[in-house]
Every structure is written in C-alpha cells, then in structure tokens.
Amino acid sequence: MTQVKFLPSRKKASVDPAATIAEAARRAGLALELPCGGKGTCGRCRVTIVSGDVVRYSPPPEGAAPEEALACKTAVGPSDCVIEAVEHDLAAEDRGGDFSEMEIPYKSAGPLVEEHRIKVPGPRPDDGLSDFDRTNRELGRNFGTDRIKWDLSAMRSLPEELRIDDGILAVYACKGDEGISIAGARSWKSRAKNLGVAVDLGTTTVSARIVDPGEGLALSEMTGYNDQIHCGEDIISRIHYAARPGGLAELRQRALDTVNRLIAGALERCGAAAEDLHCAVVSANTVMTHLILGLLPEYLRLAPYTPALLSVPEMRASDVGLALNSSGIVRFSPSVGSYVGGDITTGLLCTDMATAEDIALFIDVGTNGEIVLGNRDYLLTCACSAGPAFEGAGIGCGMRAMEGAVNSVSVDKSSGLPTPEVIGGGKARGICGSGMIDLIGELFLSGWLDRSGRFERIRQSPAIELEGRRARYRLAEGEKTLIDGPLFITEQDIDNVMRAKAAVYSACDLLLGHAGIGFADLSRVYIAGGFGKHLSIANAITIGLFPDIPEERFSYLGNSSLEGATRLLLSKEAREILIETAGRMTYINLSDEAGYAERYSAALFLPHTDLESFPSVAGRIRKAK
Amino acid sequence: MTQVKFLPSRKKASVDPAATIAEAARRAGLALELPCGGKGTCGRCRVTIVSGDVVRYSPPPEGAAPEEALACKTAVGPSDCVIEAVEHDLAAEDRGGDFSEMEIPYKSAGPLVEEHRIKVPGPRPDDGLSDFDRTNRELGRNFGTDRIKWDLSAMRSLPEELRIDDGILAVYACKGDEGISIAGARSWKSRAKNLGVAVDLGTTTVSARIVDPGEGLALSEMTGYNDQIHCGEDIISRIHYAARPGGLAELRQRALDTVNRLIAGALERCGAAAEDLHCAVVSANTVMTHLILGLLPEYLRLAPYTPALLSVPEMRASDVGLALNSSGIVRFSPSVGSYVGGDITTGLLCTDMATAEDIALFIDVGTNGEIVLGNRDYLLTCACSAGPAFEGAGIGCGMRAMEGAVNSVSVDKSSGLPTPEVIGGGKARGICGSGMIDLIGELFLSGWLDRSGRFERIRQSPAIELEGRRARYRLAEGEKTLIDGPLFITEQDIDNVMRAKAAVYSACDLLLGHAGIGFADLSRVYIAGGFGKHLSIANAITIGLFPDIPEERFSYLGNSSLEGATRLLLSKEAREILIETAGRMTYINLSDEAGYAERYSAALFLPHTDLESFPSVAGRIRKAK
C-alpha cells in the first residue's frame, strides 16, 4: 500500500499503488472538485506533486507547472507521496432555517399521513382474534376498507403498544388507491408527533423541510450540498460514474447520507425525532430518483433515452433507506421523461398552470433547463442542456451564489469600468450566474460588448485588456479580491453563458412553436430554481435568456420543488393535481426536433439574431446610442 | 474477562465475570442441553467444575457430587476456570434426502409462482414509456390486471435484463387476491429455474424440501434440529427466552440460520441456487411463526393467550430474511389459535377432512398434542400440553428416536424380562417415545404393571428392583448399553408418559363430546408427526393414548406439515382449501373447559378409568389372565 498525504489539510490515505490521486483523496475524506466525474476533461482537480513518483495518464493542463497534475488522471506509484491539494469549497456547512416564528399560509386539507385515535377492544378468550385481527377490524370500521397494509416493523411493535394504554392507539395511516398503509401505530399515551418531511433532492443542492401536516406548518429545514458532487458535478458525469463497478451503490449511499444528514439536522432544529416522521415526499429529477433507489441510470444517457421508471410505487422508509420511522411512507413525485423529472411536476404545484385558462411558461434554470408550457388544456415540456455556466461552473472565476460571489454589476457607459456588488459585502472571490447575466447585459447595452459577445477592440477601456487576438475584462482589481490577483472575465466565459442562454431560450421558443403561439400570448412566466433570488429580469431579457415581455408577468418561485413537495404532504388536492398534470404532460425530446438546432444558432447572439423579437431591448439599444 | 475452558471439547470462551456457565458455553459454541430455557428447573445442564471459583445461584441437583453444578444457575468468578461438560447430542448432522429416482405423485395445478415468457417491446423515442411502464403494460395484457407489485430488488435488475435478450423475459409471477406479485424477472436467455421450497419449521426439527412446481416434483430435502433448542427445548421456554433482552432477536436469527442452512443444503443436493427459488411456503406452529418474524410471543403465554397474529400477509424473502431470490414470495400457513398453528392447518391437507362427509380425527403428537375433529361441515380443534415424554425428555434415560434408542420392547409374561429392540441394532443408549409406549403396554398386559402405573410388588421379577417404597425396571443390562450401567425405567418415568397420554386422549374425548359423537363414529384417525414411524398402534391403544377402535381406521401421515406445504406450492386448490378450512376451524381452549380436568383425571389409568370405553383392551386383559 502506498501512503498518500495531502497538504495543507494533512489528510492521509493508504491506497493500492496505481490508484489515482482522486481515489486517494476520496479515501482521505478530502473533497476535490471533479465536475467531469474523473474523465480528465474539466481540469478542475489540479493538484501539485510535492514528493513521490506518480504516473500521469494525461498531459498536464495547459499552462500548468511541471509539478502540477490532474488528480483524476494521475496514479500514485509504489513509493509514498505528498500532494498539495486545495480542498473544494463544497464542504460548506449545511444551512438551516426555522419557521417557528413565521405564519406559513398552508391549508392542510387531507395530509398524506393522518393520525387517528382508535380504541382496540382487549383480547377475549372466546373470539379467537389475534392482536392484529382486532386492530384491523377496528381500522376497517374507521376507514371502510379491509385493505390494510402493514409492514413487519409496525406489526412487531403492535402487541406491546396495544397493552400500554388499554388498546387506545394512535395510528398513522396513509390512504391510497389500494387501501390504507399503516405508517406506524403507537399507544395513545406514548404516541409520537405526526410529522412529515419534504425532500428536494437536487443534483447539486438538497433540502429537507419538516412539516406538521395537522397544523399545516413548516417547522424547520436544512439545505446542503449533495455528497454525490464528489462523483461528478452534472447529471451526465453521475450517469458515467454509476456505470463503474460499485459506482451505483456509492451514489445511492451518498444520496441517502445527504438526505438523512439534512433530515437529522432539521429534526434537531424543531426538537423532533426520526420516529415522529411518518411520511416523506421526495422530489427529484429523473436521474436522482434512479440513483437514490439504486436503479441504473445508464439507459437515460443512451438513445432513445429510456428511464427505468417514471412513477415510483409507494415505498416504506426502510426499503428506501431513509431515516424516518421505519414503517414511514415514502412517495416520489412522478417524472415525465428522462430529463423532466419529479422536481418539475412538483414545482408546477406552485403555479396555477394545471387549472388556469391563460397560458403560462415555467422555466427552471440549473445545469439543465426544464421548461413547461401550457394551461388546463395542454402541457408541453422539454429539457435543454444549459451547462453549468449559470451555476458558476464553466466560467474561469465562476462560483455559486454564496458569500464572496459577485452577484450584480453595473458598468460605466463611458469608461467601461465595473461596479460589482459582492454577496456578504466583502472582497470578491468569483462571480455567480446572476452576476454574469448582469455583467453581459450591462456591457452589451453600454456598447463594450458586441452582439456576438466580443469585447470592443477599437474604443479603449481601462477594464478591457487586449493581448493579440484575445481580450479579457477586469471585473475586480487584485486588492478587492480574495484570490491572488484580479478577477478576469474572458470571451470564452461569455461564450459559455451565451450558449447556456441560447439553449434555454430556444427551448422555450420551440415549445411555443409547437403550441402555435408567440411569447406575447403568455400571461405569466414562472422562474424556478435557487438562481431566481439574485437575478435581474431586465438583464436576463437583455441578454436574451428570457423572452421580451413585460417584467410584471414574471414570477420568482424560488425552490418550487421543495415548496411543491411540502404541499404534497399537506393536501390531497395537490396530490391529485400532481398525478393529473404528470399524466398529461407531453415530453418533447429536443434531440429529435429538427427545428431546435436552427433556433439555438439564432439565439447565439445578444439578445438574438432576430432583434424584432426583443423590441424593448432594441429600444434600450437605440436609447443607449 | 474470565477465560472459560470446556472439557473434553477444549472449546473456550472469554466472558464477563458473573456470566453464567451456560452463557459461556453458548459463546464457546458448545451445545448444552437446556430444555427449561435456563430456569434451573430441569437439571439437564449439569456440568462438573474442574477448576476455578464459581458462584452457584441454586442448590446442586439432587444426588449431585459437590463439584457438579447447573450451568444455567452458576456464574463464573473473576478467575479463569475449566468446566467439564458433555456436549449435547443435538449437533447431530442434518439429514438429507433426494427424490430424483422417485416418482412423486404430485399433480401440479396452479403453482404458487409460475414462470411466464413475455416479450416486452423495445424502448421508443416517441412513446415516452419507461422500462417499467412497458413491462407492466405487457404483464397487464398477460394477466388482465394492472395491479402488479414489484419490490425494489426486481425493479433494479429489470433494465439490464430487458436488454440481454431483446426484451424477452422470464417473469416469475404469483397471483394473489390483490393482483400479481413479481417474484423476479430475468432475460429469457439467462433465466433461472423456477423452484420453490416447502419449509416445516418445528420446535425441535426443521425440514426444507425443494420443489419444482412446473414438473410437480420434489427434488431434494434436508432435515435438522432447530438451533433455537439451545435457548430452551419446549415452546414455553422459548417464550420465556424471547422476553430476555436480545432474546427475541437471537431466536429469530437462530430460526433463520437453521432454515437457511437447510435450504442451502437441499439446493446443493439438487444442483440449484438460491436465485432459482422464487417462493417458499413456511408451515410452523403459532409460536415459531412469531419467532421467525421477530414478533414477541409473550402474550401467547399469558391469559387470555392472544397471538400477535394468526394470518401473515404475503411477504418477500428479503423482508423475512430467507435465503431465496430476494424478491421471492413467502407465504406462511395461517394459524387458528395460540397453540394450533399453521403446521396443523397445513397438515390437514394430507387428509380429506375438509371435503369428506365422514367424520375423522387428526392427532399430531409432539411436545404439544394438537387435535382436529370434523368433516366438511365442521372442524373443532384444540391443543394439549403432553409434555416432552413422547420425545424422550422427562424420562430418566429418554432420548429421541435415533440410533441407540430402544424403540420397541416385548416383555416375557412369566418372568417380566424385556426383549428390547434398538434403532441401528447396536447397544442401547436410552429409550424413545414409541419404546416407552410398547414397554408400558407390554408390562401392563403381562400383569407386571397395574392400572395406576405401579410395578408389581408381590410377585417377583428379576427385572423389577424394589428399594423401600420405590421400584424400578431394568430395561437393559449394563453390558448391553452405551452408558455407564444398566437402563432403568422408574415409576416416575411411567407416570410422565401416563400424564402425556391422558392429556392427548382426554383432549380427543372432549372434542368428541363437543360434537356429540363417540369414538366409534370416527371413520378414520390420522396420526401426524415424526413419532408415527416407530409406533405400535395396538400398544398405543392398550395404554389408552389412542381410542379403542379398529386398527385399520388409523393412518400414519408422517410429516404432514412438510407434505402439506409441498402441496401449497403446487396447487391452487390446496391453497384455497387451506384458507377455507383455517377460516372455519373452531379453536377450543382447554384451559377454559370445565370438563377437561375431569376427563384428564379419568384418563390417568391404564388404559382408562372406564374400561368399557376400551373393549378390545379389556378383552386382551381377560385373555392375558
């Protein structure tokens, strides 16, 4: 075994010779950034070899020093080695929130699991009924059905619970299409709380919110990064990772660990325990749903992009591996297609698209952009690959929207100099998605960026540095940053954002084309995803990410996946709407759409090749001149 | 920790000071005999302290040497000790059997799980169906239902299996009242065998038989002791043991280990693997059913003797912990009452009592005696506590019916001298139940035993030794035994058998009284249980165990529990009869029956107080005189 020591963390691992440095880092518990999942393509896992012999399977990254190497494509040798590796910032602490002081306007009408007080008559020598028989007879009277499903765990505790409080039980019951599922039964005297948990299992970010369905209250929540990030940052890298030996099991365990950690944290915040949780609604995209269930997502990646399943049968917490009461009921939101998942069907619950006559557009922008168009009569949906630019990846100094990120910028028209705003108010460490949108919009309107996303080369600005055919923009001076030097934005960075915005816009455009309507026909555009909070709608329209319609028609939904999952715990109507809408959503696979590539190319300009479709932007351009 | 070493086995354990010697033996993997479950009452765990200080919590057994102690009531001290302990014979090897050469006359009509060949169309880009959707649609067409239940394990393998053989699948499906349960799905090319396993989970003995439902063939079987014996030999001691901390979990694990070991052995014999097993039928008494499911049996022991459950819902192998294919279907035979379990409802399938007009009696004699009386119109059932005398326990030199056991005896009328027959033909080591029945019958008819079970004291026999008020019978001389001296039968031994036979007979008598019929009205008496093989019906009638009706009306069923479980795997009709008969069996609790004690007392004579009810025995007594 070869000893590998990492600096400056001093973390250590002992690995087989020929293991990669990335593998050693994983063993050592050191978080490396591996957005590409270890394929050697992203260059983000660069480390410095301090001592020891290593074997490089790929050339060093461009501009790298000789002692630098990619951790995923470099193997340790038989001799011990010391590696300098900056730990990835993903180990940032989970963030918690409490709702105790807030009035949450939920109407609880038909919670997923309800507590019922029943009195089971004591055993009699003459009727020959078992504990289970007597309890089921009583439940049958209450619910008007003899289809009552128990799991072994609840069955095991029943005899004792019946005898604690003279047969008076608190029964936690979930009514479904096929009868009643018992999520737990406790003596009334020692009954648990009746809580549920809404889980938004995102590719990057995961949230768990504890809900009291009886009171219609959210009690607490925790949000943190998905531990799977160490296996690849986007969905495609996760699918590749799952195909490795042991990869699927690892991804499943990492998803469970993440969710269970956040559930435990949220429970602690509201003073409740796992046994108080009798149900969970998990809202996740199709790939995440596959991974947490241990289903191989491989065929989602290969034409014709077939999911193993779209609708998940009702499960028990112990089957899935979630840390609720072990008999707890777990529902997964149904997916519609390979890349339009349960997070979207759930997110729609935060809109009135299922019931309204007016036509609306729902856009969830993340690494993938998911779009839904329609009303009570029809719903079209598709997903486009925006790439990680809006989440700060794919940008030289990109980062997520957290402390130290430039999230808003204004540009002085005459000098081209920026005035960046930094989250937290301190020095800048990078730029997040909404900052990039602001920056590009401002540079474009002030004439320092042309419609193809190239910097002005004739007029000179102290902020634009030319070097041969290349140009870059100085976003923040060295003394105002937390990194070793100024923050630069390159034309490549801008190009990445333009490709992302073109992917989203042209997908919207295509859906509208299918419906035979124009953007002006939209009564409302819903913006979902964490991204919304810092976003300037005006600049998003300016760069051509969003359609050019009046700003007041846009609504921020925030984390609609988590919010929708909360509603599913609380309301029978929400659960019925979910099934109804998921059942009638028409999934359009962009890779089969001849018109998509053309629309995409047309959208690769600021704001678009067809300026007439962006009249307000055209007006502002004229005004700026 | 204190080191405990056992002789002559040289097995060792390291235990906390204050642990009992019984605990140390368990840790050391040494099988002590603990029929009473460690309550210090049976005296069977006697050991000899060779060295070391021990603490005795109970006085030494009567007649014990000072260095002898009860392992269950003696704690080790802080110093290491050496203990001489004879290992219990229960570790006897599992016995196997093969059926390959035999023509088994099963008619396979509606196996529990059937293999179906289906062709699932390939994924299409335009229909948006998942692998799971397409497969279920195809299954729905086949089975005419959309209620199709999968477990996660089968769901996980589906995408790969679909792609191995172009969507041609072997699906293992179990039709139930609530739709179809999928016990597995494999590509047709790599499909498994479709086998099932019948399990008879007895208190003492456990059997597993591999069955091919398609061919209607039993392929192999294994029989062995229930590992739970180390926690107590009879059902009541197991219930006590289950109430200890960790006791229930240990009993469950021991039951699973036993069953899984026997299944593995039987699979090896017929060249099959666990993944070929898609279903199991488990036939067990009520307590064993509780224990293997991890259900506390405590309330079966306390008035009003209430089981946690009688009917077990359909389960998956992975839920129960059985080593089949993990999606395999497990059915438990329903129990009727606390002491009439699934082994009896299943055993009845080997009779025609469910459908015949004539009235029959079913007697399963073991530690408990279970009795069923009736026909197609009614079925009465009860259980009586026979005690372990018929299984060789509770008799000074008693043993099970295995090599070295006297299983048949004749007694010379004039001298009173015995001619014992020994299983295996060698020297005797003890006497088994059928040997005791023979011996008592022969001694009684030849006048050496009176009707109250006392030896002749006036006429002298070289076989009867008198010592003050006590008398004992010399069954085998020292040179003809494997033990250190002759085999003796005491009046206490005979009394134990008489109490056992009185319990069984009076229970039968009581059931007939309920039905308002006499023994002469019985068209047939079925004798179930391992015991039947060596039994002389004539002597069983002579001592008053069985009613005095013509011998040709008796039928030996052998292990009807295992045989019935086999039929449940093979036949839909058998499964329907099981539910129907279990549903209409009337359970009579003898402890509530005022007339039982009186009938029992009347039966405590040879053959019975009322000699008129045993006319053939009365005739033989007259003839003998």
Side-chain angles (χ1 to χ4, degrees), chain A residues 493-517:
Chain A
D493 295 337
I494 289 171
D495 193 50
N496 282 340
V497 173
M498 284 177 62
R499 282 190 280 124
K501 74 98 186 171
V504 172
Y505 180 84
S506 52
C508 296
D509 193 23
L510 189 119
L511 284 194
L512 270 82
H514 266 275
I517 60 171

Side-chain angles (χ1 to χ4, degrees), chain B residues 100-180:
Chain B
S100 49
E101 302 297 314
M102 294 164 61
E103 192 69 23
I104 306 286
Y106 291 115
K107 196 175 63 183
S108 183
L112 180 55
V113 166
E114 287 185 272
E115 182 184 87
H116 298 263
R117 184 182 188 278
I118 65 166
K119 166 84 173 95
V120 179
R124 291 163 55 114
D126 56 350
D127 64 4
L129 294 176
S130 66
D131 291 340
F132 196 57
D133 293 333
R134 298 195 320 282
T135 307
N136 276 339
R137 193 176 56 179
E138 223 35 55
L139 290 172
R141 280 183 196 153
N142 259 266
F143 294 113
T145 175
D146 60 353
R147 289 173 179 256
I148 299 166
K149 287 178 284 181
W150 293 72
D151 74 335
L152 251 178
S153 165
M155 280 163 62
R156 282 181 183 141
S157 59
L158 181 64
E160 288 298 322
E161 297 295 339
L162 276 177
R163 285 162 180 87
I164 291 173
D165 196 11
D166 201 22
I168 305 177
L169 289 184
V171 174
Y172 304 93
C174 175
K175 282 185 214 177
D177 294 340
E178 303 193 358
I180 303 294

Side-chain angles (χ1 to χ4, degrees), chain B residues 223-237:
Chain B
T223 296
Y225 284 109
N226 188 334
D227 278 350
Q228 292 180 333
I229 289 174
H230 303 298
C231 310
E233 278 192 12
D234 62 32
I235 278 192
I236 294 297
S237 353

Side-chain angles (χ1 to χ4, degrees), chain A residues 58-75:
Chain A
S58 75
E62 203 186 326
E67 64 275 20
E68 287 187 324
L70 291 182
C72 69
K73 287 290 176 191
T74 306

